[in-house]
Amino acid sequence: MEKTLITGGAGFLGSHLCDLLLSKGHQVICMDNLITGSLENISHLFENPNFKFIKYDVTEFVYVKDKLDNILHFASPASPIDYLEYPIQTLKVGSLGTHKVLGLAKEKNARFLLASTSEIYGDPLEHPQREEHWGNVNPIGPRGVYDEAKRFAEAMTMAYHRYHKVDTRIVRIFNTYGPRMRLNDGRALPTFITQALNNEDITVFGDGSQTRSFCYVADLVDGIYRLINADYCEPVNIGNDEEVTILEFAKEIIELVGSKSKIVYKELPVDDPKIRQPDISRANKVLGWKPKVSRNEGLRMTLEYFKKKCQR
Ligand code: UDP
């Protein structure tokens, strides 16, 4: 049986990866310090003999007794309001945490996958974003704590690959949504759905002309699973390449919910990227991957989850 450590395994993406890998027959050790992750995301796994949870902060020395075949490094605050609330922790987990976990991968001779991000590209100068784009990031802005930590993490991953011959993977994750997103993580999707369900004003930042491309979580974890099993160490974009403006997106959600909400405009956050759309030709070529779930279908499934959450 393959044994896999998932850091940040109690988070939105981490917990979906725990589910997927258990279903593929892995033994899973989930490590999380629970600052933004939640036990609720993994409580359904506690009875599973192949699952173990360890509450731990991976910026400290990580010791694991068992053999490990794979380490997936997903620990990090990951929404713009989380970076504002936990700027130092965000920097530390991307830098010190990545170093510690790479050290563990070297020690265990385990394959290592870094959860990187489209934020690597900052406010991009190329559209759509190919993996060759070096990015346009403000190092000292409020998002810099996340962007630069992830850029450092990519550099550290490549250094361990080149110098220590660790078998590494880097996935650049674009906007992803689905069940288990936190209602209050401040991102557009949970905020708009919650506002729409309560018939409150929908807060579009700026004039809403900025674009994003939203990927359903099941598609994302399928791409990641393929990357773990591929022999490919260069970064790979995984995301849905259907681009939408934030204003259109807000209108879609109002319609889907059947809400009476009105759109109101608020100030655009500092360094908010104006455009974002992944070029996924590399993922398609190397992994045979492309997203399958349309935005309409994905939003419907996500809405069901949020309805239940909001009722509680
Ligand atoms: N956004 C918005 N209203 C909100 C939250 C977010 O208009 O209540 C915008 C935000 O400014 C950005 C886009 O929606 O342009 C996506 O933001 P999100 O926080 O979901 O993720 P990002 O892609 O910026 O990391």
Side-chain angles (χ1 to χ4, degrees), residues 9-293:
F12 164 48
L13 297 182
S15 65
H16 282 282
L17 277 168
C18 290
D19 287 343
L20 180 71
L21 292 185
L22 286 165
S23 79
K24 300 281 186 188
H26 289 224
Q27 288 185 311
V28 171
I29 302 175
C30 164
M31 201 174 260
D32 202 302
N33 68 355
L34 300 176
I35 65 167
T36 58
S38 156
L39 289 180
E40 221 184 311
N41 291 338
I42 51 168
S43 56
H44 61 290
L45 301 175
F46 289 157
E47 301 294 306
N48 188 326
N50 291 324
F51 180 79
K52 187 157 87 182
F53 172 68
I54 302 171
K55 184 168 184 291
Y56 196 72
D57 180 344
V58 295
T59 61
E60 306 290 338
F61 183 86
V62 187
Y63 173 74
V64 175
K65 195 165 76 206
D66 319 42
K67 70 144 193 163
L68 286 175
D69 301 292
N70 309 290
I71 301 178
L72 314 183
H73 184 37
F74 276 70
S76 179
S79 84
I81 59 164
D82 289 342
Y83 328 142
L84 291 181
E85 194 171 351
Y86 305 109
I88 315 283
Q89 289 96 325
T90 304
L91 279 160
K92 281 177 73 179
V93 74
S95 55
L96 306 180
T98 304
H99 182 220
K100 297 284 183 293
V101 180
L102 274 164
L104 182 66
K106 173 167 142 266
E107 170 69 24
K108 299 283 179 183
N109 209 5
R111 191 181 294 147
F112 174 87
L113 179 138
L114 173 69
S116 186
T117 165
S118 54
E119 287 283 327
I120 290 288
Y121 304 116
D123 194 9
L125 304 174
E126 259 188 35
H127 194 67
Q129 292 79 53
R130 292 178 307 139
E131 289 85 351
E132 287 82 2
H133 183 29
W134 289 355
N136 177 38
V137 171
N138 173 5
I140 57 164
R143 297 173 92 104
V145 296
Y146 184 66
D147 302 9
E148 295 296 1
K150 289 289 188 183
R151 289 167 69 94
F152 175 92
E154 286 201 6
M156 187 63 109
T157 301
M158 289 311 291
Y160 265 69
H161 176 73
R162 293 194 182 110
Y163 190 75
H164 290 308
K165 310 290 176 225
V166 175
D167 188 17
T168 57
R169 310 279 184 275
I170 297 174
V171 56
R172 291 190 181 147
I173 299 169
F174 282 66
N175 294 66
T176 303
Y177 68 97
R180 301 189 194 150
M181 287 186 103
R182 272 170 29 234
L183 293 180
N184 60 349
D185 82 355
R187 288 190 173 112
L189 183 134
T191 309
F192 291 171
I193 293 192
T194 312
Q195 290 166 338
L197 284 172
N198 295 319
N199 292 308
E200 291 164 1
D201 288 345
I202 306 273
T203 52
V204 166
F205 297 160
D207 62 4
S209 63
Q210 70 273 30
T211 68
R212 294 293 185 272
S213 310
F214 294 95
C215 185
Y216 189 65
V217 64
D219 279 333
L220 185 97
V221 294
D222 171 43
I224 289 172
Y225 185 70
R226 287 169 190 240
L227 181 58
I228 298 168
N229 293 302
D231 183 14
Y232 195 78
C233 70
E234 299 285 318
V236 179
N237 289 339
I238 301 278
N240 193 305
D241 56 355
E242 209 183 300
E243 189 182 12
V244 64
T245 68
I246 292 301
L247 183 59
E248 276 173 66
F249 187 58
K251 288 179 182 164
E252 279 178 13
I253 290 179
I254 294 175
E255 193 178 319
L256 184 74
V257 174
S259 169
K260 295 191 192 63
S261 295
K262 302 261 175 307
I263 288 173
V264 295
Y265 296 89
K266 301 263 178 194
E267 202 175 328
L268 192 67
V270 177
D271 298 333
D272 197 279
K274 286 184 258 322
I275 41 176
R276 183 179 290 156
Q277 181 191 31
D279 180 322
I280 52 172
S281 38
R282 183 176 285 181
N284 194 242
K285 195 164 133 219
V286 177
L287 312 174
W289 178 86
K290 62 174 194 250
K292 296 194 190 87
V293 181

